[in-house]
Amino acid sequence: MPSCDEHKLKMEHNKEFLSICRANNPKDHKGVYYYDWEIVVEFYACVHLVEAVLKKKFDIDSVDHSKRREFMEKNKDIFTDDVMESYTALLEYCLLYTSDAADDLIG
């Protein structure tokens, strides 16, 4: 499993990719921005940030999205309501825009 630093690098990698995409405003043949992919990349940057915290504070790795969320909910001192609200919103948008991945995201 990745270390805390490896999770941070993956988060930064996702954020850099997102920045490149936003700067170049990739469009499909209909002139529509790829918001679905932006949301997915943003969510996985968030996942790696959460995983980095879990690794550093508790030396654990979550095995799936539902276990990660469960652990976050049990540790409100670290994962505040604002953090949970943002994480949940990104997760829900991922589900909305990537219905093929829904089973994986909700466990």
Side-chain angles (χ1 to χ4, degrees):
M1 293 298 208
S3 68
C4 177
D5 288 339
E6 289 169 327
H7 280 298
K8 287 181 192 177
L9 287 173
K10 288 182 180 191
M11 179 196 67
E12 291 299 328
H13 179 78
N14 286 345
K15 287 173 60 177
E16 183 178 343
F17 176 72
L18 191 58
S19 177
I20 291 167
C21 288
R22 287 176 176 159
N24 291 300
N25 195 20
K27 296 182 180 194
D28 67 10
H29 66 283
K30 296 177 186 173
V32 178
Y33 185 75
Y34 291 109
Y35 291 109
D36 51 349
W37 285 107
E38 181 178 325
I39 291 166
V40 170
V41 172
E42 191 81 48
F43 175 70
Y44 278 98
C46 180
V47 165
H48 285 294
L49 177 59
V50 170
E51 288 293 323
V53 170
L54 293 178
K55 194 67 169 180
K56 184 171 183 134
K57 296 280 187 184
F58 306 101
D59 195 30
I60 65 163
D61 301 288
S62 55
V63 295
D64 59 33
H65 295 291
S66 62
K67 294 291 184 195
R68 179 181 311 105
R69 188 173 173 162
E70 181 181 312
F71 197 88
M72 291 170 72
E73 288 171 353
K74 289 180 181 178
N75 291 279
K76 294 281 190 179
D77 55 320
I78 297 170
F79 302 104
T80 63
D81 288 341
D82 289 344
V83 171
M84 288 303 299
E85 186 176 310
S86 297
Y87 179 87
T88 300
L90 283 170
L91 174 62
E92 289 173 355
Y93 282 122
C94 272
L95 290 172
L96 179 66
Y97 289 110
T98 60
S99 59
D100 293 340
D103 290 337
D104 178 51
L105 287 173
I106 59 176

